[in-house]
Amino acid sequence: MSQALRDARRYEEEKAGLIPDGARPGFHLSARTGWMNDPNGFGRYGGKYHLFYQYHPYDSHWGPMHWGHAVSGDLLHWEYLPAALAPDMPFDHDGCFSGSALELPDGRHMLMYTGVSREMGPDGALRHVQTQNLAFGDGMDYEKYPGNPVIAAADLPEGGSRYDFRDPRIWREADGSFRALVANDLPGQGGRMLLYRSDDGLRWRFAGVLAENRGRLGRMWECPDFFELDGKYVLLGSAQDMLPRGFEYHNGNGTFYLLGDYDPQTGRFDEESDHAADYGIDFYAPQTILTPDGRRVMIGWMQNWDTCNLHTPSTPWFGQMSLPRELFLRNGVLYQRPVRELDALRRDEVVHRNVVIENDEIALPGVSGRMVDMEIDIAPAGGDYGRFAVRFAKNVDYHTTVSFRPHESVLKIDRKFSGSRRAIIHQRRAKVNHDNGRLKLRLILDRFSAEVFVNDGEKVMSATLYTDLAADGIAFFADGRVSIDVRKYALAP
Ligand code: FRU
């Protein structure tokens, strides 16, 4: 083991012990200590779920990337394992960037990740180049492959940038051969996803361009994931520097999915449509797995690159994952629901039916908390109404709001009053389907986040909030006359 990895493991062991459980999310994975971004190597190994993550243990800001590591039996209770990778080789000296994992038939755990290193250009200037590298391990300790890098600039098709070439997503086809999808920039055109194939997982060759940006969705694409779902194929990607398209995409970094058909023989993907993967503020770089019982489950980094300053700089951890979400296709869009394992965390059911609110804000007995699973069925109560809102993480000073305006079909999440002292994005809006003002919401709170599942998962809005935990009130507001049914559980991890 390198000195760099040994140091990281010693440091995290020491520092993580200083963060009390109550100071981090209860059932969302957060950085063991320091900084976390993208989920990496999400998958099954040795009968457990493994989730690695982009990790800078030494600071709550991004820095030389390591891979943090955690395991879980149910995707909600996570146990930290020692950091898996540190930047300690010539090919990853400046960072072990995102990647993915596979369990091999011989029992080894194979990781493929992006190594970042410096290279002297023809003009004499040093620049970061990115290559794809392997490591093999036993679910705890990993050895980097002596033949690294296994995919490098020489394997790029015409015009591809060696500086933006990262985040390999690996899988095996039915015949046992390997595939990797790697994000790459084609300068001037933006991101594209490159397909590579290999018979042994070690020697790789370029097999085609699976999808390309052609200037439509932001600039560089990152973090591909690719899978079959309900008879279609889904290509997940995260785009930098996006422009909004109506309410579909927003400015800055955002996550999208392309739906289409794929022929594994030819490696050809016929794209049919593109959509946003989350309509809230904080969601990026998701990865998926297939659970042993056949569910496709997605986890993203519940953060946005442009809003990382939301957290107070003195906090010893930064970055959390989203809830694991079961995916399925319905009416040509990706539906997302919290994994059903969450049901086992539900305690103390509180039900209120046919509560009529008229131009008022009310609280309901038994409805409060910061670790909450709450379903709200909203309906007009005679005539129409102008706005419905639920406010949470609330006390006299603070609240965060999810509000719905039926005339505009717009649902908004707003954390302006969450206690943030930064001039960053605090609101986001999404168009939602409703039936004459009838709308269904499921709100999951976990201390420092809110995830809103609309109409049984048709759309999701995710946002982090770092409001003082003493603000645990929940209130319901109506402009006009609204009737709501509320079913609320406390969540106890
Ligand atoms: C996405 C990303 C990846 C990269 C990693 C570096 O959030 O930029 O493309 O591998 O973060 O930490």
Side-chain angles (χ1 to χ4, degrees), residues 35 37-38 40 54-55 62-63 65 96-99 114 116 130 166-167 183 220-223 238 240 253 284-285 301 305:
W35 165 278
N37 59 291
D38 314 354
N40 291 159
Q54 288 288 281
Y55 184 35
W62 193 88
M65 280 292 114
C96 299
F97 276 18
S98 287
T114 299
V116 181
Q130 303 184 334
R166 59 182 177 269
D167 309 337
M220 171 60 182
W221 286 356
E222 309 183 304
C223 302
S238 293
Q240 297 180 326
N253 284 35
Y284 201 65
W301 178 42
W305 281 109

Side-chain angles (χ1 to χ4, degrees), residues 149-162:
V150 293
I151 304 178
D155 305 303
L156 276 168
E158 190 66 30
S161 161
R162 63 205 291 150

Side-chain angles (χ1 to χ4, degrees), residues 95-109:
C96 299
F97 276 18
S98 287
S100 51
L102 268 182
E103 175 160 8
L104 297 176
D106 66 9
R108 286 176 306 155
H109 202 195

Side-chain angles (χ1 to χ4, degrees), residues 27 29 42 49 51 70-72 75-80 299:
F27 49 93
L29 183 68
F42 185 28
Y49 295 105
L51 183 56
V71 286
S72 176
L75 295 163
L76 298 167
H77 295 87
W78 292 99
E79 180 196 336
Y80 292 108
I299 281 191

Side-chain angles (χ1 to χ4, degrees), residues 41-52 69 71-72 81 101-104 106-111 136-142:
F42 185 28
R44 293 283 294 183
Y45 180 75
K48 286 203 161 166
Y49 295 105
H50 285 248
L51 183 56
F52 303 83
H69 192 186
V71 286
S72 176
L81 293 184
L102 268 182
E103 175 160 8
L104 297 176
D106 66 9
R108 286 176 306 155
H109 202 195
M110 169 170 148
L111 314 180
F136 297 92
D138 60 1
M140 179 78 80
D141 298 310
Y142 294 83

